[in-house]
Amino acid sequence: MAAVPRLFRSSSSAPSFSLIRRSLSSVAAAQSPKPHQSNASSTIPAGRNVQWVFLGCPGVGKGTYASRLSDLLGVPHIATGDLVREELSSSGPLSKELVEIVNQGKLVSDEIIINLLSKRLEMGEVNGESGFILDGFPRTVRQAEILDEVTDIDLVVNLKLPESVLVEKCLGRRICGQCGKNFNVATINVKGENGNPDITMAPLPPPPQCASKLITRSDDTEAIIKERLHVYDEKSQPVEGFYRDQGKLLEFNLPGGIPESWPKLLEALNLDDNEVKQYATA
């Protein structure tokens, strides 16, 4: 499996996360946007672990698959959605502003996202992290340009599902109020149209100890879900074109739930679960 050996390298020439933090903040603070300059490369430079981005509509499963790949490859999974939710549950200075933004289904501003991401990267540096899989950032071309100015992104995985499936999937999401784990009570069986295959997803039920403690996210109503999808189509999809032009975009149509999709995703990435784990522990 040719792809695996180049995924694990020393971090001697990697950009410092503190440097990324300072650069993200300074670039975002600039009054006028700078023109994009691409140094696209089809290979991962020596000296660091993978630096990947996961794109896709809200509810498509970015967190699920990014988290699995994070465990598989031994790199941190950094989800800006989680960073926002952590800030929302805190009494931090941004929490009140974020409540209003999230409840309206709007995109969080570049300034706030970069602030939260910068703090997370700095914490990772202190803990000795190398590489990352970003989930939920960048969501705009401007964010992608900012990221491009301070670090190299090796691969961008764009997960795709039909809108009807996304709405059902989001409406079925549940969270255990005690342990915080995510589940899904929806049974999805959508007939394919225009020659596309049927999509079937079984529910992801909670264990008995969580069954009576399930809660629904306040922003998982049909109106807010559809508004989030509309906002994504309008403002975030251009990011796909940004990375497509760089030759870094891998578009992946999810064929179903995790049992059907995970092996296919590994195949598309030229990865093998067992081989990667054996290499990482060698």
Side-chain angles (χ1 to χ4, degrees):
M1 190 182 64
V4 174
R6 64 188 182 125
L7 299 181
F8 301 93
R9 306 182 188 277
S10 67
S11 58
S12 58
S13 66
S16 162
F17 277 154
S18 60
L19 173 61
I20 293 175
R21 183 182 192 273
R22 291 194 297 272
S23 301
L24 281 171
S25 301
S26 62
V27 172
Q31 293 298 316
S32 57
K34 298 178 182 179
H36 169 67
Q37 294 181 343
S38 174
N39 292 317
S41 172
S42 60
T43 59
I44 301 172
R48 60 167 170 74
N49 287 341
V50 300
Q51 296 182 175
W52 289 355
V53 166
F54 266 65
L55 298 180
C57 290
V60 75
K62 297 186 296 292
T64 298
Y65 295 103
S67 179
R68 283 177 165 242
L69 284 166
S70 167
D71 292 340
L72 186 63
L73 299 175
V75 297
H77 166 217
I78 302 175
T80 53
D82 290 344
L83 299 181
V84 169
R85 282 186 284 275
E86 287 170 12
E87 187 69 24
L88 280 169
S89 65
S90 73
S91 56
L94 296 175
S95 57
K96 186 175 180 180
E97 183 179 356
L98 282 170
V99 167
E100 183 177 348
I101 292 170
V102 170
N103 285 343
Q104 292 177 359
K106 295 181 179 178
L107 285 178
V108 180
S109 71
D110 290 356
E111 182 181 4
I112 292 175
I113 289 294
I114 289 165
N115 187 324
L116 296 174
L117 180 60
S118 296
K119 290 191 290 186
R120 171 61 183 85
L121 292 174
E122 187 175 58
M123 182 184 71
E125 182 186 22
V126 171
N127 293 332
E129 293 177 349
S130 173
F132 51 76
I133 297 177
L134 293 182
D135 164 8
F137 184 93
R139 295 180 69 175
T140 66
V141 169
R142 183 65 191 128
Q143 289 178 358
E145 290 172 338
I146 292 170
L147 190 61
D148 238 24
E149 293 201 19
V150 298
T151 191
D152 292 321
I153 297 302
D154 308 315
L155 180 69
V156 178
V157 181
N158 184 31
L159 300 180
K160 306 182 85 170
L161 276 173
E163 182 175 327
S164 58
V165 176
L166 287 166
V167 172
E168 283 192 54
K169 194 166 178 280
C170 288
L171 288 174
R173 289 194 294 198
R174 300 292 185 274
I175 304 169
C176 175
Q178 181 171 319
C179 71
K181 290 185 178 179
N182 293 285
F183 306 99
N184 201 300
V185 299
T187 299
I188 296 172
N189 193 351
V190 176
K191 296 291 290 182
E193 298 178 354
N194 301 320
N196 293 317
D198 298 348
I199 296 179
T200 301
M201 294 185 179
L204 298 172
Q209 65 269 25
C210 297
S212 63
K213 304 178 181 68
L214 296 185
I215 58 176
T216 303
R217 280 172 40 173
S218 61
D219 57 338
D220 272 350
T221 65
E222 186 168 355
I224 291 179
I225 290 166
K226 289 184 174 180
E227 174 62 17
R228 285 204 305 262
L229 294 175
H230 172 73
V231 170
Y232 181 87
D233 286 339
E234 188 175 74
K235 295 187 177 180
S236 295
Q237 279 195 335
V239 178
E240 299 174 16
F242 179 88
Y243 287 117
R244 187 180 292 111
D245 290 344
Q246 295 185 356
K248 296 179 179 179
L249 188 70
L250 171 65
E251 307 211 64
F252 185 78
N253 292 293
L254 293 163
I258 294 173
E260 298 84 11
S261 299
W262 177 241
K264 295 290 187 183
L265 180 59
L266 290 179
E267 181 181 346
L269 293 169
N270 196 25
L271 295 174
D272 178 87
D273 200 327
N274 293 324
E275 287 187 43
V276 173
K277 288 177 179 176
Q278 289 171 5
Y279 188 90
T281 57

